[in-house]
Amino acid sequence: MSPAAKDSVTLEVPGPDGRHTPVTISSPGKVFFAERGETKLDLVRYYEAVAGPLLATLGGRPLLMERYPNGAGGKSWFQKRVPTSVPDWLTTTVVATPNGTTSDALVAADLAHVLWAVNLGCLGFHVWPYLAAVPEVADELRIDLDPSPGVTFSQVREAAVRARALLGELGIEPVIKTTGSRGLHLYVRLEPRWDSYAVRAAAVALARELERRHPQLITAQWWKEERGARVFVDFNQNAPHKTVFGAWCVRPVAGARVSAPITWDELADVDPRELTIATVPGLLAERGDPWAGIGERLQSLEPLLEMSRRDLAAGLMDAPWPPVYPKQPGEPPRVAPSRAKKT
């Protein structure tokens, strides 16, 4: 009998210290992705295949789980808090929401932690921008290029090239990944010097400068009614307590698309629909990890913070924050322009 046909299968998952952790996968033959019929066990094998680069990007970070116990397209929910009954080896950390509510969240301590969550129906992970051991330091700038309605992927590609060029002028070199959907993410691993408020301020400054330079292509406008058919640079993805869908993680869609790191040379021809759990492991084996060494290239946020200071000195207010956050100093009225009182 094949493992996928059994009620469960127990894996001995190797850890960084050489020891193995047993992780039981229940219902391994359950179909999670309908397009090609990939199962829960297929998803496990995928994460085993990309374990090295996966843990290089999200290892040691808290994870928000998005659970689909019956597979992509089924009932789902987000879960910050781990269940009350967990293995004694499971690593957790306390995370907070903007209103101060705390939860014991899963930490990506090793591959066993990832596969334990996959067994719960977690297809992919939304990742905090800090290491669990140093929660006061945000060590990633995450540039989310979000296509507004009517925007093509070619336009998102162009926006990514423009963003990279601007960052390059500032001595900053980002890496890039597909989102597994319609957008692109650029990441910069930072020197451990700033909190999330500073990283968000840098992201606001970047978005505004990109809009100034490329107003027909890129927008920094928070309110959807002001964006038009442009690529939105979602600076608020860097706000404190915000998570972003992780590199190498699998989206809850029938085709099992992956939020896949790519090289800048691959950007011109990439089709995100072709990056799936069926294709990404082979691509990784063929050309290696496009983000290899990211943790060794820690970069400075100071050029973007100087840009932010210049904007504020010129009279610009802070950009609007999401509604779940308390009102922030220097923030404009938190109301869509079309609903603002006329004076």
Side-chain angles (χ1 to χ4, degrees), residues 150-164:
V151 171
T152 66
F153 189 68
S154 293
Q155 290 171 284
V156 182
R157 274 198 194 99
E158 183 181 355
V161 171
R162 302 297 186 184
R164 184 194 188 195

Side-chain angles (χ1 to χ4, degrees), residues 45 71 75 82 94 154 170 220 321:
R45 298 306 186 199
K75 181 180 178 181
V82 298
V94 176
S154 293
L170 303 175
W321 286 65

Side-chain angles (χ1 to χ4, degrees), residues 43 69-70 120 124 294 314:
L43 182 60
N70 293 312
L120 297 182
I294 186 175

Side-chain angles (χ1 to χ4, degrees), residues 28-245:
K30 180 184 289 186
V31 173
F32 266 16
F33 304 100
E35 189 170 301
R36 290 178 301 274
E38 285 116 341
T39 65
K40 180 192 281 192
L41 188 60
D42 290 325
L43 182 60
V44 167
R45 298 306 186 199
Y46 164 77
Y47 279 119
E48 289 178 323
V50 301
L54 173 76
L55 292 170
T57 62
L58 56 76
R61 299 178 187 273
L63 303 176
L64 170 62
M65 297 185 290
E66 185 178 5
R67 292 180 61 183
Y68 286 78
N70 293 312
K75 181 180 178 181
S76 67
W77 62 91
F78 288 98
Q79 185 169 335
K80 285 190 180 76
R81 185 176 288 106
V82 298
T84 53
S85 178
V86 299
D88 58 9
W89 49 261
L90 200 77
T91 301
T92 64
T93 191
V94 176
V95 297
T97 62
N99 65 13
T101 303
T102 59
S103 304
D104 290 324
L106 177 68
V107 175
D110 57 22
L111 180 60
H113 286 70
V114 172
L115 300 187
W116 173 85
V118 168
N119 184 56
L120 297 182
C122 186
L123 309 186
F125 302 90
H126 300 256
V127 187
W128 265 265
Y130 59 77
L131 296 169
V134 198
E136 66 276 10
V137 176
D139 68 345
E140 287 184 339
L141 170 65
R142 296 152 170 203
I143 303 159
D144 181 8
L145 301 179
D146 184 12
S148 302
V151 171
T152 66
F153 189 68
S154 293
Q155 290 171 284
V156 182
R157 274 198 194 99
E158 183 181 355
V161 171
R162 302 297 186 184
R164 184 194 188 195
L166 173 53
L167 289 168
E169 291 177 19
L170 303 175
I172 300 170
E173 178 57 34
V175 292
I176 187 170
K177 70 180 179 73
T178 63
T179 64
S181 184
R182 299 177 56 240
L184 289 167
H185 288 159
L186 279 61
Y187 275 49
V188 179
R189 188 67 62 85
L190 301 171
E191 298 168 355
R193 297 168 51 192
W194 298 280
D195 62 14
S196 289
Y197 289 93
V199 177
R200 179 188 176 276
V204 170
L206 175 68
R208 285 173 166 170
E209 182 63 18
L210 285 168
E211 182 181 59
R212 282 190 286 262
R213 295 188 183 197
H214 312 288
Q216 302 305 311
L217 174 67
I218 296 172
T219 179
Q221 301 306 310
W222 172 249
W223 301 106
K224 290 182 179 180
E225 64 189 46
E226 296 188 317
R227 294 179 191 171
R230 294 181 289 177
V231 178
F232 172 50
V233 183
D234 190 353
F235 46 83
N236 275 327
Q237 294 288 16
N238 294 278
H241 316 296
K242 286 288 286 185
T243 62
V244 173
F245 197 72

Side-chain angles (χ1 to χ4, degrees), residues 275-295:
L275 298 172
T276 71
I277 66 171
T279 62
V280 167
L283 183 60
L284 174 63
E286 178 183 324
R287 59 94 157 97
D289 176 11
W291 288 17
I294 186 175

